[in-house]
Amino acid sequence: MKLTSPPPMHRQLRDQLYQKYDQLISQGTYLPLTSSSFAWGLLLLFCFFLIPPTSRFHNRFTRYFVFAAVLSWHTYLVTCFQAKSVAVVYGAGISSAWGTLWAATLLVFRDAKTEFKRLEQREIAGDGGNSEKVNATTTQHSLRHKADEPDLRKRAQVSEHKSEGSAAVPRPEHRHDLEYIWQSYPTNSTFWHRFCWNLDLLTNFRGLGWSWRISGLPSLPRHVQKSLSHTSGSPSSSDQGTTIKDVPISHIGIRRYDTTPSLLRHNIYLLIRHYLTIDLLLTLMHHDAYFYTGLHNSPPPAYFASTILARNYPLLPHVLNSIILKIYRLLLSMLMVSTCLKFACALGPPTFAYLLSSTQSPFRHAPFPLNHLAFCTITSQPWLYPDAFGPYTNVFARGLAGWWGAWWHQLFRFAFQSAGEFAVDGASVGRKSVAGKVGQALIVFFVSGCVHASGSLMLSARREEARPVRGAMAFFVVQPLGVVLEMAGKMAWKRMMSGGGNGTSEEDKRRNMEKKEKEVVPTWLMGALRFTWVHAWFYFTAGLLVDDFARSGVWTFEPIGVSVLRGLGMGVQGDGWWCWGGGPLAWWYDGGIRRPWLSGVAF
């Protein structure tokens, strides 16, 4: 059944944005954004990292100079380039700001060449217990499996969680002729080894398989920790201690996948689920003018519940209708953002863990299979791809801190955290002090605001209604206030609950306080209070961000090519099965003699 709907505003706005793009490019006001122009900043950073840290060209001056060059190029990119696709423009703005921040993390906040180590494999040669370790720089490319792999696969069906004292049956990825090491910058190795080490460094934002992996992730598998304990003297940089603990699910609910089939099943399920969810959300958005104007006084869609309530109950206050409508629009916006991010995050694991696998990849019998690359020796391991988002139960357990620090994706966490730590260290403030924690929160959200406002800034060239400072920037800048209010409330609650404790040790005091909390306020009620607080906070602040999305034309983006619901007639006039209309998705742009460096694929 076809829904009653207003004119297709999303298509009209998309055509207006396309016409504005053609006008800006033809007038020479902006340059077309191409694949080559977008890659120059990353290429400069990558070339610098190919220089060994022992070279005289690696010092603080050259690090800061390269960062300044990357910053200059990305600033030029944001202010002087445009793409026809709204999604590409917004993504290019965010990616440019993120690339600058990532360069600052690796060059200014840290010295990645001397501080970071990568998890790698190397073969063990020799007989019996007198095995001699072969240099990783010459053997890490060789990961060819032996002829007895089928037998190993059959024996690998035993339980994964055995006690450490028992002899575990090896699985295919538990090869006895391989061991794991922490590989620092391969100064004396081959150029190809340095190439792969740096490629993984620049594209690995959560530190998966690196010594700087972020907190909140599951532990490395037991067999990896055991190998590292023999080769480096400690289980891992993030799991210090004498006892090896295998934690497949982290304390915030992030799950690890130890086999390629389980990883594939999970991510394929996510891709299908998120695809259908995106289809549903976009179909609903097409019926609501708000998502293309950003104005909350836009008339609600015909199917919306508040109009039904108002029709049946004329005395229902108009304010209540407005509140329900705003909640509905904020909810749709939040679900759309999170679902698109989850969909994008679910694309990577099947690509790297399956296509680059030495046993599963359809390209494994090719003359030069992808898994022979040094870059792929570790990146094809399924346990390097835990979930990107945590469970939503973190919001019930930890409130606003659980929303940002446990449920939401942590792709940018290390860079944001490094910026905050760099700032408080420069101010000589202790990181663990109250002032240090507040200062880090302020810096983290300010930097996050700069990153997200860059996308809106690029779109403001075609949409005067876009507000990069009063929109996306303002949303992230006010978030520390909510975090501080929540911290103050928790501290006051703990002081109130700690009174009358009879325990002598800190552990006894903590247990007494938790027992008293449960007696005063049941766990379910406390979770409901945290949930209510978080969503009340976002009711008053989220509009700063999502209204800017709508004003900027972000929701004209079509992430899926085929729509089931719109094909069945549930869209607006002109909607159908095929969604990628309005011209070609990409084309070749020739920069000519004047700008050959701009030649590339335009979007």
Side-chain angles (χ1 to χ4, degrees):
M1 181 179 66
K2 201 171 194 56
L3 298 175
T4 304
S5 60
M9 290 192 61
H10 70 284
R11 198 172 291 109
Q12 295 175 356
L13 179 56
R14 183 198 64 191
D15 293 341
Q16 291 176 8
L17 292 171
Y18 284 1
Q19 292 173 6
K20 186 67 174 178
Y21 167 83
D22 294 335
Q23 179 183 351
L24 293 175
I25 298 301
S26 61
Q27 293 175 349
T29 309
Y30 285 85
L31 297 170
L33 181 66
T34 61
S35 55
S36 56
S37 61
F38 187 75
W40 284 117
L42 178 62
L43 183 61
L44 173 62
L45 186 63
F46 183 75
C47 290
F48 175 75
F49 271 92
L50 291 176
I51 302 174
T54 54
S55 170
R56 61 189 179 92
F57 295 103
H58 176 82
N59 52 59
R60 176 173 294 185
F61 172 78
T62 55
R63 282 166 35 215
Y64 285 22
F65 177 81
V66 170
F67 165 69
V70 172
L71 172 62
S72 301
W73 177 258
H74 284 158
T75 302
Y76 175 55
L77 193 72
V78 170
T79 55
C80 299
F81 286 79
Q82 281 289 310
K84 193 167 188 176
S85 169
V86 173
V88 173
V89 174
Y90 200 87
I94 291 180
S95 299
S96 298
W98 165 249
T100 303
L101 176 61
W102 192 232
T105 303
L106 301 178
L107 298 173
V108 180
F109 307 150
R110 316 272 182 170
D111 185 0
K113 292 184 185 179
T114 59
E115 296 180 19
F116 296 164
K117 294 181 180 181
R118 183 188 182 217
L119 183 63
E120 293 185 358
Q121 288 175 323
R122 65 181 179 186
E123 289 185 348
I124 303 175
D127 299 322
N130 299 323
S131 60
E132 183 178 331
K133 300 170 184 176
V134 181
N135 192 300
T137 61
T138 59
T139 63
Q140 67 157 345
H141 303 46
S142 177
L143 287 177
R144 299 177 301 274
H145 285 263
K146 308 302 180 185
D148 59 346
E149 279 184 349
D151 295 334
L152 288 176
R153 288 196 197 97
K154 292 179 182 178
R155 288 183 286 165
Q157 303 302 321
V158 298
S159 175
E160 179 178 339
H161 302 287
K162 288 194 172 185
S163 60
E164 189 172 347
S166 61
V169 179
R171 291 183 294 182
E173 59 267 30
H174 298 185
R175 289 178 51 187
H176 296 302
D177 60 337
L178 292 176
E179 65 180 358
Y180 293 87
I181 61 168
W182 286 116
Q183 175 66 57
S184 57
Y185 189 95
T187 301
N188 300 319
S189 185
T190 61
F191 173 82
W192 184 246
H193 191 182
R194 293 202 304 274
F195 181 93
C196 297
W197 194 92
N198 288 303
L199 181 61
D200 195 15
L201 172 67
L202 296 182
T203 57
N204 198 327
F205 303 143
R206 289 195 292 173
L208 298 165
W210 285 85
S211 58
W212 50 270
R213 64 200 305 263
I214 63 174
S215 61
L217 296 175
S219 70
L220 295 172
R222 185 182 299 276
H223 71 280
V224 179
Q225 295 187 58
K226 283 184 178 180
S227 180
L228 289 173
S229 66
H230 293 131
T231 58
S232 62
S234 61
S236 74
S237 64
S238 61
D239 298 309
Q240 295 292 344
T242 57
T243 303
I244 294 177
K245 296 181 179 179
D246 188 9
V247 184
I249 303 178
S250 70
H251 65 282
I252 62 173
I254 302 294
R255 183 182 296 274
R256 188 188 74 212
Y257 302 90
D258 290 339
T259 63
T260 302
S262 64
L263 180 71
L264 285 177
R265 284 194 301 269
H266 176 70
N267 283 276
I268 291 174
Y269 163 73
L270 290 181
L271 288 173
I272 296 173
R273 188 182 76 180
H274 297 327
Y275 188 100
L276 297 176
T277 304
I278 291 172
D279 187 14
L280 172 63
L281 295 174
L282 271 180
T283 301
L284 294 175
M285 285 180 170
H286 283 188
H287 291 269
D288 194 344
Y290 158 78
F291 293 102
Y292 309 102
T293 62
L295 301 176
H296 282 280
N297 59 0
S298 301
Y303 60 83
F304 188 64
S306 68
T307 61
I308 299 174
L309 290 174
R311 194 176 300 125
N312 294 335
Y313 304 97
L315 298 180
L316 189 70
H318 176 72
V319 175
L320 181 58
N321 266 345
S322 301
I323 292 175
I324 295 174
L325 182 59
K326 182 177 180 180
I327 291 174
Y328 164 78
R329 288 166 169 170
L330 293 178
L331 180 62
L332 245 64
S333 301
M334 186 273 290
L335 288 175
M336 189 62 183
V337 172
S338 61
T339 305
C340 286
L341 288 173
K342 290 177 181 179
F343 183 83
C345 291
L347 289 171
T351 302
F352 290 102
Y354 177 66
L355 295 182
L356 303 182
S357 171
S358 58
T359 59
Q360 312 275 347
S361 173
F363 305 108
R364 62 186 182 275
H365 298 305
F368 185 71
L370 295 176
N371 59 280
H372 281 188
L373 302 178
F375 175 61
C376 309
T377 60
I378 289 297
T379 52
S380 63
Q381 302 298 324
W383 39 264
L384 281 179
Y385 300 96
D387 296 329
F389 283 73
Y392 203 75
T393 52
N394 286 295
V395 178
F396 293 90
R398 300 174 55 191
L400 194 59
W403 172 288
W404 288 117
W407 174 66
W408 197 247
H409 75 84
Q410 304 297 302
L411 297 178
F412 301 159
R413 178 174 187 144
F414 182 74
F416 291 163
Q417 182 178 330
S418 297
E421 292 174 352
F422 183 81
V424 297
D425 290 346
S428 301
V429 178
R431 296 181 183 180
K432 300 298 184 180
S433 64
V434 175
K437 290 181 179 179
V438 173
Q440 290 181 70
L442 292 172
I443 295 298
V444 164
F445 282 106
F446 173 77
V447 173
S448 181
C450 292
V451 170
H452 291 84
S454 297
S456 181
L457 178 63
M458 286 195 74
L459 280 175
S460 63
R462 282 188 278 173
R463 288 286 289 174
E464 297 179 356
E465 295 85 351
R467 299 174 182 173
V469 176
R470 290 182 293 166
M473 186 74 176
F475 169 75
F476 286 99
V477 168
V478 301
Q479 294 309 305
L481 175 61
V483 175
V484 171
L485 289 175
E486 187 174 81
M487 288 174 55
K490 288 180 179 179
M491 293 174 64
W493 177 257
K494 286 182 178 180
R495 283 197 299 268
M496 184 171 60
M497 289 295 102
S498 61
N502 299 323
T504 56
S505 65
E506 292 296 329
E507 182 66 19
D508 291 337
K509 291 181 180 179
R510 184 185 63 83
R511 289 178 180 175
N512 290 334
M513 185 177 66
E514 291 178 353
K515 183 178 179 180
K516 189 174 181 179
E517 285 179 354
K518 293 180 180 180
E519 292 176 353
V520 176
V521 181
T523 303
W524 66 268
L525 180 57
M526 182 61 73
L529 291 174
R530 294 191 184 103
F531 178 88
T532 304
W533 145 250
V534 168
H535 291 83
W537 171 258
F538 283 125
Y539 176 84
F540 292 104
T541 62
L544 295 169
L545 179 65
V546 299
D547 291 354
D548 188 58
F549 284 164
R551 285 190 298 264
S552 302
V554 170
W555 302 129
T556 61
F557 169 51
E558 289 284 358
I560 59 176
V562 178
S563 170
V564 177
L565 296 179
R566 281 168 276 175
L568 294 175
M570 301 185 69
V572 297
Q573 181 182 0
D575 280 349
W577 295 94
W578 185 247
C579 304
W580 288 342
L585 298 178
W587 63 95
W588 179 261
Y589 174 81
D590 186 3
I593 300 177
R594 292 183 57 189
R595 299 187 181 96
W597 44 273
L598 274 183
S599 298
V601 179
F603 303 94

